[in-house]
Amino acid sequence: MLYPHDIEQKLGFDKIRDWLKKNCSGQQGENNVGKIRFTSNKSLIGKLCAQTAEYMSMINAGENIPALNYPEVDLLLKKAKVQGAFLETEEVADVHRTLKALMEWYGFLHDKQEEYVEISMLAQKLEIDKNLVKRIESCIDEKGEIRDSASPELRKIRSEIHHNEVIARKTLDRVMRETSKADMTPEDSSLTVRNGRLVIPIKSEHKRSLKGFIHDASASGSIIFIEPAEVLEINNDLKELGYKEKREIIRILMTLTDEIRLHIESISFGHRFLGIVDLIKAKALFSMRFEARLPEMDTQGKMEWLGAVNPVLKQALDKQQKQIIPLTIRMDGYERILLISGPNAGGKSVCLQTVGLLQYMYQCGFPIPVFEGSKIMVFKDIFIDIGDEQSIEDDLSTYSSHLKSMDFLLKNAGKGTLFLIDEFGSGTDPQFGGAIAEAILEQLTKSKSKGIITTHYNNLKKMADAREGLVNGRMRYDVKKLEPLYQLEIGKPGSSFALEIAGKIGLAESIIQSAKKKVGTDAVELDRLLNELEEEKKNFEEQSKKFTSQNSLLEKTILNYKELQSGLDERKKEILNAARLEAKLLLKEANQRVENLIREIKENKAEKKATQKSREEVRKFDREIVVEQVVKKQPKIKVISGAIELGNLVRIKGQDSIGEVIKVGKKDVEVMLGDLKSKIKLSRLERVSKGEAKKLDRESGSSIKGIDINRRKAQFSHDLDLRGKRAEEALGLLASFVDDAILFGALNVRIIHGKGDGILRQLVREELKSYKEVRSCNDEHADRGGAGITVVEMR
């Protein structure tokens, strides 16, 4: 059960729905966003969350994920069900696009069933008739038009049409030249079309000089548009051939529709599959945007959120370039209800909304933005009382509305209920409001439900300290600066800092002193103790941070000392070795001299034994001088096997520089080395481990960064809307869009520029001509935008 009916708007989940719709690729995905529902089914929650986590893994792993650029086919499938009806050419082309997308996804998941279990299960019942795909491809080309080869009869008809058009054109060109030479046509005139037929513009005074059929005249009547008699019969033949061509195309489309009709159920199922995957993709992108993860589902009544972040608030603060403060929230079977107190604008209401939104998101199948190690419960009911529910129609004041909500909660609260109440007991006389709030809180404690309440009432704070099942919490506050810290601390009540804030804004001291007397010494003393506790806590934290910083500095100093000592030891070894080497050279020279001396002794017939002994002593001394090798440690990085693909980290064999592959060719690849893009032969490269490369990056401080190509590929849209843009802005957006299309290997993209005067269309086409990767540019089909959209075919 959810209360109230507009709980999504109060928590901000409606904004998350809007975000998801913008990041879906097709209409079916957007429709599925509207079908997201809250559930208490633990198995279903685990399944939905796992699907999103698997898609996130696909993106992070750099998988070649199939595109989700699929058309909407629900209506045309309903049309195809009717016997005797036939699909138009573009509708059959949409069915073909859907089948191709399904084939790509089926092939992708078939090889990765063990890695992506939940998403693979969605595709288990997919049935794709490859013969139907081939049949459609044999009749309709890549541009969505009927091929000449769709049937022998169509080929024959179109051949005749082409032949007659050539004859008609030549005849008209000849007549045009003759009439122009005779000054019967206006200056700079040319052939034009009226009523679907080629005509020649003739000055009205010469209309009887040219035999033919008059189709139209200019507004002034000075120009007559005549179809010459010489081509009248040929044009009539062309008209008849056009009818024959249309009849043959309808026959072909009816045959294709009959074949599609046999597979409507499987195509419809596949279309729903694409819509579900589209939603999963949008959820995955959302989760990656806000660093969401799956917390552990707890079944023992424990709720422990570490570093919880409200994604709606984070997005708003990001725009203001402000940091969000993560919250840590704990509740269990003993401390079921958390009572948060503290100053106004200190973050109490934000804390409530964060808990409500993240819990709602999780039970709709979303990973949530919390730190690793967080635990979450599943509730059957969520009840919130946040904001002003004053109703003029029901004649309810703010306080009456709150009491009505409390009455509903007390009647329905149970062990599986999570309630969130803001400003508990406010809106009426504090003495009676506090008493009623205390009585309600007693009943809620007995219900075994879990909840968070914000309040300023001291009687409730005292109750939370004394009663089992309740626990105090406070929003931290900087007493010196009188500024909120937006940090939740569980275990102690908070002060409203009303007197301190009054002093800060300049309220007279006499008034503040008078207020203190009216409040009473007990209340003032309690507030003073809370303030002192907050100040001591802040001082302790500052000292702790200072100690941690000094300890970290000490550890770094010790590490630097050890590295310096190691360097000095190596240097010492090098110097000693150099000295030993020099000594050895000197000894070698001395040894040579000794040998010479021995030779001289021999020549002088000295004793043999004495000579031998002298030589042995010299050699022994030589052996004792050993030069030790100094081996400098070089960082090693693991080389991994396998083909080099888009997004891999690579390095040139024999070198240390690491880069990211941004384009793969047959024999070479483009590699981003820092800010430098270079084309290198595949045979000169070797793949390296991403994990070890990042570790080396951290240790060495070097940059091993490239384009986050996987995420950009997942977010790439095949349509670019330039309507309303100025020429300079439009060309800049077009350049970035075409670069992305080339990078991601898109075969077809669409530029939406509108019709207007055709200036933007001309600029776009001229710019596209400068790209060698662009094969052709054509107008979209008339039913899908015509000249207002340029369809670009890439090489």
Side-chain angles (χ1 to χ4, degrees), residues 18 39 107 210 231 262 325 441 466 537 539 640 660 663-664 771 778:
D18 292 340
T39 179
L210 180 66
V231 295
L262 299 174
I325 309 296
L441 190 54
K537 170 88 173 176
N539 291 336
I640 56 179
E660 183 176 5
K663 187 175 180 182
V664 179
Y771 288 89
N778 298 290

Side-chain angles (χ1 to χ4, degrees), residues 293 305-310 325-329 358 368-371 374:
R293 57 176 50 84
W305 294 2
L306 310 175
V309 168
N310 186 321
I325 309 296
L327 296 170
T328 295
I329 300 162
L358 297 196
I368 58 174
V370 291
F371 293 164
S374 296

Side-chain angles (χ1 to χ4, degrees), residues 47 73 114 191 197 216 225 271 295 355 365 508 519 526 777:
K47 189 176 189 178
V73 297
E114 294 182 2
L191 293 172
R197 300 169 81 101
D216 198 3
F225 298 96
H271 186 241
V355 172
V519 169
L526 175 62
C777 300

Side-chain angles (χ1 to χ4, degrees), residues 198-469:
L198 280 169
V199 295
I200 296 175
I202 298 293
K203 294 177 182 177
S204 58
E205 60 266 27
H206 298 292
K207 65 182 179 181
R208 300 189 184 279
S209 303
L210 180 66
K211 293 181 179 181
F213 185 82
I214 297 175
H215 281 276
D216 198 3
S218 65
S220 64
S222 60
I223 299 173
I224 307 297
F225 298 96
I226 299 176
E227 181 181 4
E230 297 175 60
V231 295
L232 197 58
E233 188 174 344
I234 297 173
N235 281 341
N236 287 336
D237 290 342
L238 282 171
K239 200 78 171 177
E240 180 59 31
L241 286 169
Y243 292 138
K244 286 177 71 177
E245 179 189 29
K246 190 173 183 179
R247 287 194 294 271
E248 180 60 17
I249 288 174
I250 290 173
R251 187 193 68 77
I252 293 167
L253 291 174
M254 289 189 74
T255 303
L256 289 174
T257 304
D258 289 341
E259 294 182 36
I260 291 169
R261 190 176 294 118
L262 299 174
H263 302 279
I264 283 178
E265 292 303 322
S266 60
I267 296 171
S268 181
F269 177 83
H271 186 241
R272 291 196 299 274
F273 164 80
L274 291 173
I276 292 170
V277 175
D278 197 5
L279 172 61
I280 294 170
K281 180 205 75 171
K283 287 168 63 179
L285 293 174
F286 177 87
S287 299
M288 295 175 76
R289 162 70 176 82
F290 296 101
E291 299 179 13
R293 57 176 50 84
L294 293 181
E296 178 187 343
M297 188 186 291
D298 187 88
T299 57
Q300 305 300 317
K302 188 173 184 180
M303 178 177 172
E304 185 175 17
W305 294 2
L306 310 175
V309 168
N310 186 321
V312 176
L313 178 61
K314 177 173 171 54
Q315 189 168 23
L317 292 178
D318 284 348
K319 291 179 181 177
Q320 301 171 33
Q321 296 183 335
K322 293 181 179 178
Q323 291 291 324
I324 192 167
I325 309 296
L327 296 170
T328 295
I329 300 162
R330 293 182 178 89
M331 286 191 288
D332 54 31
Y334 300 101
E335 296 178 342
R336 298 186 301 276
I337 300 175
L338 172 62
L339 201 75
I340 303 176
S341 49
N344 288 322
K348 299 191 301 296
S349 298
V350 169
C351 180
L352 281 185
Q353 285 187 311
T354 300
V355 172
L357 178 59
L358 297 196
Q359 186 67 44
Y360 193 88
M361 283 173 59
Y362 180 71
Q363 292 193 228
C364 286
F366 284 73
I368 58 174
V370 291
F371 293 164
E372 202 73 46
S374 296
K375 294 181 180 181
I376 192 168
M377 291 177 60
V378 173
F379 295 95
K380 290 182 180 178
D381 315 307
I382 296 182
F383 173 99
I384 68 169
D385 184 28
I386 299 173
D388 187 355
E389 291 294 331
Q390 183 174 353
S391 173
I392 297 174
E393 293 178 1
D394 297 333
D395 194 24
L396 290 176
S397 67
T398 300
Y399 186 65
S400 299
S401 176
H402 284 314
L403 286 180
K404 187 176 179 182
S405 298
M406 292 305 105
D407 180 56
F408 181 88
L409 172 60
L410 291 171
K411 289 176 180 177
N412 294 279
K415 195 172 181 181
T417 301
L418 172 68
F419 61 85
L420 306 168
I421 305 172
D422 195 20
E423 299 295 346
F424 192 37
S426 63
T428 189
D429 185 314
Q431 184 177 355
F432 294 102
I436 293 172
E438 190 171 339
I440 292 172
L441 190 54
E442 284 180 359
Q443 288 298 112
L444 289 174
T445 307
K446 294 175 184 178
S447 72
K448 304 296 183 182
S449 55
K450 285 184 169 60
I452 301 177
I453 294 172
T454 68
T455 187
H456 290 285
Y457 289 149
N458 284 331
N459 65 314
L460 298 182
K461 299 176 192 177
K462 292 175 182 178
M463 181 181 175
D465 268 340
R467 195 177 185 97
E468 185 180 342

Side-chain angles (χ1 to χ4, degrees), residues 48-105:
L48 294 173
C49 288
Q51 289 170 356
T52 305
E54 286 181 0
Y55 206 104
M56 291 166 67
S57 298
M58 286 183 196
I59 297 173
N60 290 327
E63 298 279 13
N64 188 20
I65 305 172
L68 281 166
N69 186 30
Y70 62 98
E72 180 60 30
V73 297
D74 278 346
L75 291 177
L76 64 89
L77 289 178
K78 288 179 182 178
K79 177 182 175 183
K81 280 185 178 180
V82 181
Q83 290 290 337
F86 67 90
L87 299 179
E88 298 293 342
T89 307
E90 59 271 15
E91 291 176 329
V92 176
D94 283 346
V95 171
H96 176 258
R97 285 171 58 197
T98 301
L99 291 171
K100 288 290 287 183
L102 289 172
M103 287 176 67
E104 288 179 10
W105 270 100

